[in-house]
């Protein structure tokens, strides 16, 4: 009989410790930055569209971005593309599937080496998955033959 009482006390004590730990964990977690919602332009990998703060950061001379191709920057993970008509576009160089950096731009296609996702170099739209979301656009402008963020 003493064994049954001890077992019930142990069970109740353990249950109380588990509940107290769960409540404490919840209170700590709800105050963390991970618990707060991200902005609407934030991709799953944490890279969203560039803010329109002005200023403008020099990215590259236009001549470094081949027509129907692109240039992948690693400092800011940005891929710059240029259409055959000369239009310049900027996108996050981070694949929206699992966060790999894209590796190539050729024939108006941006390619990810990790799982084979392909994106339209003029719009960032998905051409082939597994990525389901387009590459987030990065606002760029050409001034004096150079490409800047806006």
């Amino acid at each position: 009989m003493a064994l049954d009482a001890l077992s019930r006390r142990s069970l109740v004590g353990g249950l109380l410790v588990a509940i107290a730990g769960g409540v404490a964990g919840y209170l700590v977690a709800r105050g963390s930055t991970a618990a707060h919602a991200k902005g609407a332009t934030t991709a799953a990998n944490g890279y969203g569209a560039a803010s329109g703060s002005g200023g403008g950061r020099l990215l590259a001379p236009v001549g470094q971005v081949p027509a129907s191709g692109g240039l992948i920057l690693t400092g800011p993970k940005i891929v710059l593309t240029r259409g055959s008509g000369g239009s310049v576009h900027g996108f996050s160089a981070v694949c929206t599937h699992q966060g790999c950096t894209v590796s190539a731009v050729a024939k108006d296609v941006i390619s990810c080496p990790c799982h084979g996702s392909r994106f339209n170099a003029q719009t960032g739209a998905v051409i082939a998955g597994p990525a389901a979301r387009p590459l987030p656009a990065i606002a760029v402008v050409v001034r004096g033959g150079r490409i800047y963020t806006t």
Side-chain angles (χ1 to χ4, degrees):
M1 191 183 257
L3 187 56
D4 289 334
L6 181 60
S7 295
R8 278 185 247 142
R9 281 190 207 133
S10 297
L11 177 65
V12 170
L15 185 60
L16 290 175
V17 168
I19 290 170
V23 169
Y26 169 78
L27 293 174
V28 169
R30 80 172 182 175
S32 77
T33 57
H36 300 293
K38 300 205 186 306
T41 59
T42 304
N45 54 35
Y47 290 90
S51 65
S53 61
R57 175 181 181 177
L58 174 63
L59 297 174
V62 173
Q64 285 186 351
V65 183
S68 298
L71 175 67
I72 299 166
L73 305 174
T74 56
K77 289 189 176 186
I78 296 175
V79 58
L80 299 172
T81 64
R82 188 163 61 136
S84 58
S87 60
V88 175
H89 305 279
F91 302 98
S92 170
V94 179
C95 181
T96 56
H97 175 237
Q98 287 191 342
C100 294
T101 302
V102 298
S103 64
V105 185
K107 298 180 184 176
D108 287 320
V109 175
I110 302 168
S111 301
C112 180
C114 294
H115 301 103
S117 291
R118 296 177 10 176
F119 303 89
N120 181 298
Q122 302 307 306
T123 65
V126 177
I127 295 172
R133 292 180 314 278
L135 293 175
I138 304 290
V140 295
V141 64
V142 176
R143 289 192 306 257
R146 295 178 182 209
I147 306 166
Y148 295 86
T149 58
T150 60

